[in-house]
Amino acid sequence: MAGTKHSSGVTRREILTGAAVVGAAAVMTSLPLSSAEAIPVPQKWDQSFDVVVVGSGYSGLAAAIEAHDAGAGSVVVIDKAVIVGGNSATASGGYNCADAARQKPQGIEDSPELHYQQTLAGGDFRGEPAKVRFYTEHALDGLHWLEKMGVVFEPKVYTIVGALHPRSHDPINNGRGGAIVAALKKQVDQRKIPVRLNCALTGIVRQEALAGEVLGVQVKERNKVLHIQAKRGVVLATGGFGADVRLRSKYAPQYDDKLPTTNVPWATGESLIFAQDIGADVSGMDYIQLLVACNYFTKKYGDLANLGIDHAVFVNLEGERYVAEDARRDILSGRTMAQPEKVFLWIADDRAAKRYSLERIKMSLDKGLCFTAPTLEELAKILEEKLKVPPAAFLDTVKHYNEMVAAGKDSDFNKKDINLKTVEQGPFWASPTQAGVHHTMGGLCTKADTAQVIDRNGVIVPRLYAAGEATGGVHGTNRLGGNATGDCIVFGRLAGQLAARESVRS
Ligand SMILES: Cc1cc2nc3c(=O)[nH]c(=O)nc-3n(C[C@H](O)[C@H](O)[C@H](O)COP(=O)(O)OP(=O)(O)OC[C@H]3O[C@@H](n4cnc5c(N)ncnc54)[C@H](O)[C@@H]3O)c2cc1C
C-alpha cells in the first residue's frame, strides 16, 4: 500500500515523508473523487479489538477509559511515538469551565452560557454553535470526571493567557498537562488496556473506498505492517499538526519553517489525510494559532516564558509596553510579531512567578534564558547589558503601568480591571519571549453530539469517531487559552462511550 501510485504519480510514502513536497501539496488540495488510496479489506485480520483508539493524549486516553467503562470487551490504544501523551504530556494542562464551587468564593460570575458566548466570539463566530454548546455544557462534568480519575486541581481559578475570563483550572502538579496524562494512563493500566507505542496508523480500512462502515486500521508497528480489526469502532485522537511544517504551511503559508513551535515533533497531520482518503471532511485547516510562549534564545516552549497576565507587563526591546496582556491570543502574537526582533520581555513580579515551578524557573535561570533581580533598577541593568533595552524607558514603562493600576484604569491598552495588578513586589523576573505555532483549530468534521466523523457530503462515516485537536469546529479562528483540554476530555469521553455502544461485528 505504501508504494501505491496516486493519480498524480506521487506515492503515499513520498507524501508522508515529504519527499515530493511540491507534488504532495497538489495531491492534497485536489482530493480524489474515488479514493485511489483506499486500503483493501484484508482477507484475514492480524488482530482484533472492540474499539481501536489512535493517539494517547488527553482525548485518546479519555476515549479508551470510557470505551472500557461503557462495556467494550477489548480496547487498544496505539501511538506512533515512543512515549505516551503527545502534546498533552508537555502542555500546561489549564482547563476552562464555569465552576461555581471555585469561582463564587473568588467573587467571579460565570456560566456555561457566558463560556459559550466568549468561545464563539473569541473565534470570530467560526466555531460551530452546536459543538461549542456541547463542549461548554459538558466541560464541568469533564472536570469532575478528571477529578474522579485522580487529577487534583488547584482550589482557585485564574485567567490563562488568552482565556478572556477567570475560569482556568490548573492541575496541582505545577500546572502541567503531564499530571493529567499520568492520572489517565494509570486508569488505562488499571483497566489492562494495552497502549502500544511505536505503532503508527498508516491507513483506515473501510468496506468500500468511500462507502460503508469503517472496519479497522492499518498500522506499522516496529516496521511490521498489521491490519487491526475494530469490531465496534475506531476513535481518531491523533492531535493537531502544529509541528507539520509542510501541512501547516500548505494552509497558512506564512507559518513556514522559520517559525518555532510549542508542539512535540510528532504533532503531524497524516491521520487527517488517511481519513480524507476514505471520504472524511475537514474544516478550518487554516485557523492556526500562534502563542507567545517560545523562549527567544532557544525558540522552545518550556524554557520559562509564560508568567501569567496578573502582576505582569509585556515590554518590547525599546522598553515600551505595546499590548494589553489579557488580549486574545491572535492579538498578542500579531502585535508581538510587529515588535523589534519579534520579541518582548515578560516582566513579572514575584507573585506571578510563584505560580510556576521554582525548579523549572531555576533551570531556565541557570541556562541564562531568563533573568531575575531584587529590584526593578537592577533588572533594568541586566536587560540593558543582555538585550540593549534602554533602562530609563523600561523603568518609566513599569512605573506608568503601576500608576494606571493604582488609578484603576489601563488608559493605554484597556487591560481588564480584573487583571490589572501591580508589578512592584520583588524579586522581579524577565523572560524574553516570542510567538510560535501552538494550536491547529481545524481538523476532521464531526457531529456535535456524537463525535462521529462526517464525510464530504455531510454524511456520517459509520463507526469512525474523532476527538481532540484532530477535529475542527470548536475554536473557530482563535482558541481561548484553556479551552483545548476540556475539548479533548469532553469529546474524547463521548467518542469512547459511543464507539463502545456500536454493535459487535464478527
Ligand atoms: C506546550 C503546550 C501547552 C498547552 N497548554 C494548554 C493549556 O494549558 N490548556 C489548554 O486548554 N490547552 C493547552 N494546549 C493545547 C492542548 O494541550 C492540546 O490541544 C491537547 O493536548 C491535544 O490533545 P490530543 O489528545 O488531541 O492530542 P495529543 O496530546 O497531541 O496526542 C495525539 C497523539 O496521537 C499520536 N499520533 C499522531 N498521529 C499518529 C499516527 N499516524 N499513528 C499513531 N499515533 C499518532 C501522537 O503521537 C500523539 O501522541 C497546549 C499545547 C501545547 C503544545
Side-chain angles (χ1 to χ4, degrees):
M1 187 62 230
T4 309
K5 283 271 179 200
H6 194 273
S7 49
S8 67
V10 179
T11 66
R12 167 179 287 269
R13 176 170 290 124
E14 284 165 341
I15 292 173
L16 296 180
T17 57
V21 172
V22 180
V27 169
M28 288 192 297
T29 41
S30 55
L31 290 166
L33 286 175
S34 78
S35 176
E37 299 287 350
I39 294 183
V41 179
Q43 289 188 335
K44 189 170 171 299
W45 294 95
D46 297 300
Q47 290 158 11
S48 188
F49 295 88
D50 277 5
V51 176
V52 177
V53 178
V54 190
S56 68
Y58 301 143
S59 50
L61 296 175
I65 293 166
E66 288 290 59
H68 173 279
D69 292 1
S74 57
V75 181
V76 67
V77 179
I78 66 165
D79 198 304
K80 68 181 175 185
V82 293
I83 51 172
V84 169
N87 271 334
S88 306
T90 62
S92 303
Y95 187 113
N96 285 353
C97 62
D99 173 7
R102 283 183 176 82
Q103 289 171 308
K104 279 256 161 6
Q106 289 180 253
I108 300 161
E109 283 301 316
D110 202 5
S111 62
E113 176 63 26
L114 182 63
H115 189 189
Y116 166 80
Q117 295 294 348
Q118 290 182 329
T119 301
L120 265 187
D124 296 316
F125 299 94
R126 299 300 175 98
E128 291 166 37
K131 218 180 232 186
V132 180
R133 178 71 74 191
F134 193 94
Y135 155 57
T136 50
E137 284 187 350
H138 291 83
L140 180 61
D141 185 45
L143 183 94
H144 290 156
W145 180 79
L146 280 179
E147 290 177 328
K148 250 198 285 171
M149 294 295 112
V151 182
V152 183
F153 287 94
E154 297 280 357
K156 288 192 172 173
V157 296
Y158 72 112
T159 309
I160 247 183
V161 178
L164 309 184
H165 199 70
R167 62 168 74 91
S168 310
H169 300 63
D170 258 358
I172 262 172
N173 178 14
N174 293 320
R176 310 301 295 161
I180 299 179
V181 169
L184 295 182
K185 174 66 169 46
K186 197 170 161 196
Q187 295 288 334
V188 162
D189 292 345
Q190 280 169 3
R191 287 164 178 75
K192 302 200 181 341
I193 299 168
V195 178
R196 284 161 53 172
L197 299 176
N198 210 341
C199 182
L201 179 80
T202 50
I204 299 167
V205 184
R206 196 173 181 181
Q207 277 172 326
E208 288 174 37
L210 294 171
E213 298 185 337
V214 164
L215 303 173
V217 293
Q218 177 185 273
V219 302
K220 197 166 176 192
E221 188 170 34
R222 294 186 174 80
N223 291 327
K224 197 168 169 213
V225 175
L226 297 173
H227 293 90
I228 304 180
Q229 183 187 27
K231 286 189 284 181
R232 293 182 195 260
V234 171
V235 178
L236 291 180
T238 46
F241 55 95
D244 192 330
V245 174
R246 192 181 54 82
L247 193 58
R248 80 183 192 219
S249 55
K250 175 194 159 198
Y251 289 101
Q254 70 277 29
Y255 298 156
D256 58 16
D257 59 356
K258 287 181 203 67
L259 266 184
T261 179
T262 61
N263 285 200
V264 292
W266 45 97
T268 53
E270 69 279 5
S271 71
L272 306 184
I273 297 168
F274 302 143
Q276 288 173 83
D277 284 347
I278 59 144
D281 201 3
V282 290
S283 72
M285 295 289 282
D286 55 337
Y287 302 154
I288 296 176
Q289 177 168 80
L290 302 190
L291 181 66
V292 286
C294 290
N295 183 274
Y296 176 56
F297 300 119
T298 61
K299 314 293 175 210
K300 285 191 189 144
Y301 176 85
D303 296 323
L304 185 71
N306 184 344
L307 284 163
I309 56 168
D310 299 338
H311 304 292
V313 275
F314 291 5
V315 177
N316 67 16
L317 291 185
E318 287 164 349
E320 283 165 6
R321 193 164 166 248
Y322 62 94
V323 72
E325 294 76 11
D326 58 357
R328 286 166 48 141
R329 289 183 165 189
D330 50 355
I331 291 174
L332 291 176
S333 52
R335 300 246 168 104
T336 298
M337 296 287 276
Q339 301 310 306
E341 307 271 335
K342 301 179 181 173
V343 62
F344 72 97
L345 294 154
W346 201 310
I347 305 295
D349 84 6
D350 204 42
R351 290 165 291 185
K354 277 207 175 95
R355 191 180 293 130
Y356 298 89
S357 145
L358 277 179
E359 201 180 303
R360 187 165 150 239
I361 293 182
K362 198 169 167 324
M363 266 167 48
S364 297
L365 261 183
D366 291 348
K367 288 192 234 156
L369 304 177
C370 66
F371 315 106
T372 187
T375 64
L376 280 167
E377 288 69 20
E378 286 162 282
L379 188 64
K381 269 194 210 139
I382 298 175
L383 296 178
E384 183 185 24
E385 185 194 312
K386 303 282 183 193
L387 291 161
K388 300 193 175 44
V389 179
F394 168 73
L395 290 169
D396 267 4
T397 296
V398 182
K399 182 165 170 269
H400 175 58
Y401 171 81
N402 284 334
E403 285 165 357
M404 288 194 298
V405 178
K409 180 148 185 57
D410 175 7
S411 37
D412 293 344
F413 296 105
N414 272 325
K415 187 170 178 173
K416 290 193 196 92
D417 295 354
I418 196 170
N419 301 319
L420 212 48
K421 295 177 188 161
T422 53
V423 178
E424 60 181 357
Q425 196 169 296
F428 296 91
W429 300 83
S431 180
T433 303
Q434 68 177 92
V437 175
H438 186 59
H439 191 88
T440 48
M441 275 81 71
L444 294 167
C445 296
T446 53
K447 192 164 176 300
D449 56 354
T450 64
Q452 287 165 293
V453 172
I454 294 171
D455 76 8
R456 296 194 282 274
N457 294 315
V459 175
I460 282 165
V461 179
R463 296 184 191 257
L464 183 62
Y465 295 79
E469 204 176 325
T471 63
V474 173
H475 310 291
T477 56
N478 170 65
R479 173 169 73 76
L480 303 196
N483 261 359
T485 313
D487 168 18
C488 292
I489 297 300
V490 166
F491 291 105
R493 292 181 67 199
L494 180 71
Q497 289 161 4
L498 297 188
R501 285 186 206 140
E502 297 272 9
S503 59
V504 184
R505 281 183 302 231
S506 53

